[in-house]
């Protein structure tokens, strides 16, 4: 299992506010890189295309209010993956957020995908920080 983790980012919102935002895939389009197109989402699932790569879909698997949103691949994806958003209480009315992506990648795919996937988790964490 290959793991890609963002740095922890300070967010000027409570963990509950961040959790509520991340608990609805309809909010995720603003967190995606520009290569993501054909975004379709409901509260609990989404599908999209990464230009030049593949169609992907994912769904909410579990949620721990104010602490974690756990997302899994869904449907016919080229790889199985999970995406986690972790939240820790910071100072008063502040939250710290980290994004972790894990995927079943063979050694060749891991070599090809490491830089883009690390960039993805960093971008998502930064966009969450900027959103609040």
């Amino acid at each position: 299992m290959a793991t890609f983790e963002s740095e922890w980012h300070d967010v000027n919102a409570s963990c509950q506010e961040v959790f509520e935002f991340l608990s609805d895939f309809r909010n995720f389009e603003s967190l995606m890189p520009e290569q993501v197109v054909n975004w379709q989402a409901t509260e609990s699932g989404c599908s999209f295309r990464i230009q030049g790569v593949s169609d992907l879909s994912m769904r909410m698997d579990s949620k721990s209010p104010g602490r974690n949103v756990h997302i899994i691949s869904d449907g016919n994806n080229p790889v199985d993956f999970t995406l986690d958003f972790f939240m820790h209480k910071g100072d008063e009315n502040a939250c710290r957020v980290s994004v972790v992506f894990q995927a079943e990648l063979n050694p060749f795919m891991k070599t090809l995908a490491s830089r883009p996937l690390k960039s993805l988790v960093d971008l998502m964490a930064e966009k969450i920080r900027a959103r609040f």
Side-chain angles (χ1 to χ4, degrees), residues 20-119:
E20 289 172 9
F21 177 81
L22 293 173
S23 291
D24 188 338
F25 273 121
R26 294 171 293 195
N27 296 325
F28 273 55
E29 189 171 15
S30 64
L31 304 179
M32 294 294 144
E34 63 186 29
Q35 297 88 346
V36 170
V37 296
N38 299 334
W39 181 264
Q40 297 179 5
T42 64
E43 181 178 342
S44 61
C46 70
S47 62
F48 53 94
R49 178 164 194 65
I50 300 175
Q51 290 179 330
V53 179
S54 181
D55 291 325
L56 296 172
S57 60
M58 52 190 179
R59 66 179 170 84
M60 299 281 174
D61 185 53
S62 62
K63 302 175 193 178
S64 297
R67 296 178 29 160
N68 172 257
V69 174
H70 180 70
I71 296 165
I72 60 173
S73 56
D74 188 37
N76 192 21
N77 292 310
V79 297
D80 288 329
F81 63 87
T82 63
L83 179 63
D84 280 282
F85 295 88
F86 294 101
M87 294 148 266
H88 290 295
K89 185 166 175 34
D91 295 337
E92 186 176 326
N93 204 33
C95 183
R96 294 181 50 80
V97 175
S98 179
V99 181
V100 178
F101 182 89
Q102 294 185 309
E104 293 290 341
L105 301 175
N106 66 42
F108 177 72
M109 286 303 296
K110 184 177 179 184
T111 300
L112 289 178
S114 286
R115 184 179 295 146
L117 290 173
K118 174 64 171 137
S119 294

Side-chain angles (χ1 to χ4, degrees), residues 3 7 18 23 94 112:
T3 301
E7 298 294 323
V18 175
S23 291
L112 289 178

